[in-house]
Each structure stands twice: as structure tokens, then as C-alpha cells.
Amino acid sequence: MEKKVYLLYSGNAWLNTSSLQLLSVCTTVERAIELAVEHAEGGEEPLDDESKEELESQRQTYGRDENYLICETELDELD
């Protein structure tokens, strides 16, 4: 049985690989978005409705100093 998880990252404006920081491993996309909102509230640039919609549909935010990225992966499996 496959088990999917969602990795929530924060990164710079361009989401350069070297800037990505793993924030959480989540069981659902919805939970990852909730945690991104919580993380952003602790910074200088809270997530607005448009950014939340971007996370839901594109799995990343755009046009911010600190962006968020959600990656889906499966547990206990090789690619």
C-alpha cells in the first residue's frame, strides 16, 4: 500500500534549490498549506488569499521574498 506525504519547503524569491529549507512532512496538502500560513504569520510577509490559492493549485507561491513549495512523495519507495 502506497503512502503519500507532502514536503513543505520555504525558499528565496526564486525557490533556488540551495535556498530550500524543509519545514514539515505533512499527511495532506491542506495541512501543508495550514503550516505555510502559520510559518508566514511569524515572518514579515503573511500569506494572502492569492498565495494560498497558488499553493493549492500550483503547489508553490510566487512573487514573494520568501516563497513556499509543496512536493509530493511516497514513503518507503524508490523512484
Side-chain angles (χ1 to χ4, degrees):
M1 179 181 203
E2 300 177 353
K3 176 64 177 160
K4 292 184 181 180
V5 293
Y6 301 88
L7 307 176
L8 173 63
Y9 293 93
S10 67
N12 66 14
W14 303 276
L15 289 172
N16 292 44
T17 305
S18 61
S19 77
L20 294 180
Q21 239 186 329
L22 180 63
L23 298 178
S24 184
V25 178
C26 304
T27 54
T28 65
V29 171
E30 292 76 17
R31 184 62 180 143
I33 293 170
E34 288 172 10
L35 291 175
V37 169
E38 186 178 318
H39 185 265
E41 284 175 357
E44 297 178 15
E45 195 177 12
L47 287 178
D48 58 16
D49 288 338
E50 183 179 342
S51 293
K52 292 177 203 172
E53 289 172 14
E54 289 170 347
L55 273 176
E56 181 75 44
S57 62
Q58 304 296 319
R59 305 282 164 95
Q60 68 182 61
T61 58
Y62 303 91
R64 301 168 43 88
D65 290 335
E66 179 178 39
N67 282 299
Y68 294 91
L69 173 67
I70 300 172
C71 297
E72 178 181 308
T73 191
E74 293 177 5
L75 292 176
D76 301 326
E77 237 181 64
L78 293 174
D79 287 334

